[in-house]
Amino acid sequence: MMEYIGATGKPITFDDVPIDEGIDFHFILSFAIDADSLGNPQNGKFSPCWASTLTPNSVASIKSKYPNVKVLASLSGWSIGSKVLSWYKPIDTQQWISNAFTSLKSIVNTYNLDGIDIDYERFPKHSESFSHCIGELITLLKNQSVISIATIAPYYRTILPYIELYNNYGESIDYVNHQFYTDKVSTPRGYLKAFVLRSEQFNKEKVIPSYEVDGRGIQGDAFFDGLKLLETNGFHVNGAMIYSADASSEDNYIYERKIQAFLLNSTSV
């Protein structure tokens, strides 16, 4: 189970979210950003920009309460304030990797994190440096035992840079949190078709179904019908990603409860 949390700035806490002890639950802090408040690149120097209520002490507390919980930091996201963020071409890629490693190691140690998620959502033309910089960063963080988990979060407009990243560094990437709610499908059969496509582009055992609360794409019971259709077509529904806990707080986390119940009852987990 993957759950993005903290992107809106509302005073949300980990304790607000229902967690079943039988589920490997991954909170994804949204976001760590290597740009200043105006969106100017900081050459790989990341800073935590998630809700201030998600403190290092709160991470320690939820992980102590639930040994099945892990916490990741997602990198970049769509924007900082009203400024849309983009991947940029570092002049010196090795310096970017070094800065990113140092800054993220500090964040990981401060917050007692388990991993990172990659969520850059805009790219210039000829963005080959993305695959190299991010792939080498993940590899270095894992080789130095700074993190144990790395995930990526492509959506339909960013598929090509993420395919290049996955093709070159897939052995270091644990899960693909593809944003299926951007694939403009609203029916179970449409969801299956999109899942088949993304499973061909990445490893089908690593692709995680996703759901945006009160948002885009397939909604409500149709999502669970889609999960059942995936199972009947031979896919292992071994997890799900939700965006986001911030939105779910308005509905008493009904989809977190339902998705965890589905996963616990699934014959394919």
Side-chain angles (χ1 to χ4, degrees), residues 80 82 233 238:
I80 182 166
S82 60
N233 280 270
N238 56 0

Side-chain angles (χ1 to χ4, degrees), residues 47-93:
S47 299
C49 297
W50 46 78
S52 60
T53 46
L54 303 172
T55 63
N57 285 342
S58 70
V59 173
S61 176
I62 198 67
K63 292 176 74 172
S64 175
K65 186 176 180 180
Y66 293 101
N68 55 311
V69 163
K70 289 181 170 54
V71 183
L72 289 68
S74 185
L75 307 190
S76 186
W78 178 254
S79 65
I80 182 166
S82 60
K83 180 64 178 179
V84 176
L85 299 169
S86 297
W87 175 257
Y88 62 99
K89 304 173 186 177
I91 296 173
D92 183 340
T93 56

Side-chain angles (χ1 to χ4, degrees), residues 41 74 93 120 123 157 170-171 196 223 248 250 259:
S74 185
T93 56
Y120 283 89
F123 294 89
R157 285 184 174 175
E171 70 281 356
V196 168
F223 174 70
S248 289
E250 303 297 327
I259 289 174

Side-chain angles (χ1 to χ4, degrees), residues 87-108:
W87 175 257
Y88 62 99
K89 304 173 186 177
I91 296 173
D92 183 340
T93 56
Q94 288 307 116
Q95 187 62 59
W96 189 96
I97 294 165
S98 177
N99 290 344
F101 174 83
T102 300
S103 60
L104 288 171
K105 181 179 179 181
S106 177
I107 294 171
V108 167

Side-chain angles (χ1 to χ4, degrees), residues 9-191:
K10 67 168 55 179
I12 193 170
T13 70
F14 298 115
D15 289 320
D16 295 332
V17 182
I19 300 169
D20 192 291
E21 293 181 354
I23 294 288
D24 290 331
F25 202 107
H26 298 65
F27 282 109
I28 304 179
L29 294 168
S30 313
F31 294 92
I33 299 175
D34 63 330
D36 65 18
S37 60
L38 298 177
N40 298 310
Q42 296 300 293
N43 199 27
K45 297 176 183 177
F46 287 87
S47 299
C49 297
W50 46 78
S52 60
T53 46
L54 303 172
T55 63
N57 285 342
S58 70
V59 173
S61 176
I62 198 67
K63 292 176 74 172
S64 175
K65 186 176 180 180
Y66 293 101
N68 55 311
V69 163
K70 289 181 170 54
V71 183
L72 289 68
S74 185
L75 307 190
S76 186
W78 178 254
S79 65
I80 182 166
S82 60
K83 180 64 178 179
V84 176
L85 299 169
S86 297
W87 175 257
Y88 62 99
K89 304 173 186 177
I91 296 173
D92 183 340
T93 56
Q94 288 307 116
Q95 187 62 59
W96 189 96
I97 294 165
S98 177
N99 290 344
F101 174 83
T102 300
S103 60
L104 288 171
K105 181 179 179 181
S106 177
I107 294 171
V108 167
N109 289 342
T110 299
Y111 283 84
N112 188 25
L113 303 182
D114 301 281
I116 60 170
D117 171 67
I118 308 302
D119 191 26
Y120 283 89
E121 300 198 355
R122 288 190 68 192
F123 294 89
K125 291 182 179 179
H126 308 297
S127 55
E128 295 83 2
S129 60
F130 171 74
S131 172
H132 172 71
C133 288
I134 296 298
E136 290 299 312
L137 173 62
I138 292 172
T139 301
L140 186 59
L141 288 167
K142 283 198 164 187
N143 286 347
Q144 295 294 322
S145 300
V146 177
I147 64 170
S148 59
I149 304 167
T151 64
I152 59 175
Y155 79 108
Y156 78 98
R157 285 184 174 175
T158 62
I159 281 295
L160 293 182
Y162 281 92
I163 287 176
E164 182 181 2
L165 171 63
Y166 190 85
N167 285 343
N168 292 328
Y169 296 94
E171 70 281 356
S172 296
I173 295 168
D174 298 285
Y175 299 104
V176 179
N177 292 322
H178 179 73
Q179 300 175 50
F180 283 99
Y181 39 82
T182 70
D183 279 343
K184 302 179 181 180
V185 296
S186 58
T187 65
R189 190 147 295 278
Y191 201 88

